[in-house]
Amino acid sequence: MDASPTAAARRAAAIARHLAGLPSGAAAAVAGLQFSPCLSYAPPESSEAPPAFAPMELRALLDGHHLRERDWAYGAMEESPLFCPRRAGGKVFVSPDYNEGKEGQREATMRRIGYLTRRGVFRGWLTEPGPDAELRKLALLECLGVYDHSLAIKVGVHFFLWGGAVKFLGTKRHHDKWLLDTENYVIKGCFAMTELGHGSNVRGIETVATYDSKTGEFVINTPCESAQKYWIGGAANHATHTIVFAQLHINGRNEGVHAFIAQIRDQDENVLPNIHIADCGHKIGLNGVDNGRIWFNNIRVPRENLLNLVADVLPDGKYVSMIDNPDQRFAAFLSPLTLGRVNIAVNAVYISKVGLAIAVRYALSRRAFSITPDGPEMLLLDYPSHQRRLLPLLAKVCMMSSASNFMKNMYVKRTPEISKAIHVYSSALKATLTWQNMTTLQCREACGGQGLKTENRVGIFKAEFDVQSTFEGDNNVLLQQVSKALYAEFLTTQRKKKSFKGLGLEHLNGPCPVIPHSLTSVILRSSKFQMDLFCLRERDLLKQFAEEVARHLAQGESRERALMLSYQIAEDLARAFTERTILQIFLEDEMNAPAGSLKDVLVLLRSMYVMVCIDESASFLRYGYLSRDNVTTVRKEVMILCSELRPHALAIVGSFGIPDAFLSPLAFDWIEANALSSGSE
């Protein structure tokens, strides 16, 4: 360290100039300290180079469908005072008032739903058939989620759980009676499946529905405290009707879980006799949804209220079903949950987009420190460490957008033959995308203290969306289901001596990929290498999983116990399947893009995704797919990719299609937004 008097004098002079804001020289030093020029906000667009690609082209790829309808929905929300418009930094922003109490947030959610109903947002959501109508519905729900998680969940419970159960588990008599009134919010529905004692294990729920052949009614009863319906969105305040999942008992025989329509309130929102409803209370987030608990004390519902597409009870009490196998019948009753998982996964992607758009724009306008004594302070995003914090997240959210579009298209074009595949993909992607959303929202940290302010959205999102990892299926349980499904496919192909077909597993039919001993940047960015590496990991883990289960079976364990004991490899396998799936889907989108600047950026995003998956996962080293030297090379490649993606960051977040009003003051003139004259609190 240079400790000479001359060096000390230079440092002292530099500090004095910094504090005084004056030019160097003796005259300036004698003049004493004076105010330095204040910081001023410069929008990122004023300093960043023009986009190298057309952001609208990338938006078309990421949104996938119904761009015009999305913009219309955003506009409808911006136009209404119900969506809490406020001015900050010269712009108008909309977002819920989280300072309202629980009841205030709930009533605000219902007022917004009423407004959206009048604007025609929900028109055709249950009565208009066809894949395009379903995709339009999903697009509009995604826009509502960008505004507020509570709004999206409240609408989702009503349309996709209650309405979806009536539509997909009911028959014409149910459709004629309930669907149009549901669409117009004449009735308000909820979905009573989860109980205090059973959530993921739906087969074990304890609510009982006993058929009374004398009156032609089902008698629904909550036999014990653990059978109370719990976390039922809409139940605490507003729902008039519910779908009740209960064990169907006929003449002393349990026919398993079935779904029934029951009214729980009258038109004046009074709770009906023999039904008790209690509030679940204040939550860490999602307080605009009135989650409630329900107890049934021998309430009676007509025989016609059994949702009877899968099974029915005749007037004399005879049980009939189009599906003989009880396991397959039970799976059919769970079908409404599939769309719930699809919606949650897609919503997670859009919230990641909002958070990243805010964090990246802030990093392109906020400066800190300088690398020379008299130099300007650097933009946050020009620091390599800050690039490493944000740009890999940017790549992942783009990749996951493609995956969510793939999942939506598969769902709306569903056939009975692909129902199993839909279950596997929706389970894998719901778990992965919601976990990644919570990781992405840690970009709050990249926003410093401003990220703590509720008005800047990113911080409050962490509490609002934490629930995604457990509702509509606990993420860990969902990944176990994925691994079990892959294991079943493995056993079937072995037993029948057939090739793998479906779930993208066709790569197992070919020779085992060979990974080069020494990796270079060119190899690392090769799509062939990337797919080979991900496929090698998946096929090896599937084989290891099957072998470990077989060892436990040979030791006398039951099949379920053997699968349970193999959970570590099962988790690695499910993650390998999901990451390979996401890569494969994005590669197809990339190949369909015309040659040019956009395609070049897609290649960078894809390579960043793969390198970060390798860098963040122990599995590549744990199972020997890559050497230590190669993993080190990958880590260096991440830094190089960060520098190459840096010029495109603003254009990429601009392509997300999130209107300015749905971001936050932090994404724009954050100095003016915090001025004394702004009135911001």
Side-chain angles (χ1 to χ4, degrees), residues 648-661:
H648 304 294
L650 181 62
I652 292 172
V653 298
S655 73
F656 291 165
I658 311 295
D660 292 357

Side-chain angles (χ1 to χ4, degrees), residues 48 108 112 118 172 202 208 212-213 224 376 382 396 416 560 582 605 625 665:
E48 292 296 292
R112 290 166 189 144
R118 294 189 296 274
K172 187 176 186 299
V202 177
V208 175
D212 184 348
S213 59
C224 51
D382 285 335
K396 283 193 173 186
E560 283 303 315
I582 292 171
L605 292 169
Y625 310 127

Side-chain angles (χ1 to χ4, degrees), residues 653-669:
V653 298
S655 73
F656 291 165
I658 311 295
D660 292 357
F662 291 79
L663 297 180
S664 74
L666 189 59
F668 300 98
D669 192 343

Side-chain angles (χ1 to χ4, degrees), residues 435 476 479 537 570-580:
W435 270 332
N476 289 282
L479 288 189
R537 176 178 56 155
E571 182 176 312
D572 287 340
L573 171 60
R575 291 180 184 274
F577 166 81
T578 310
E579 290 176 358
R580 187 269 304 159

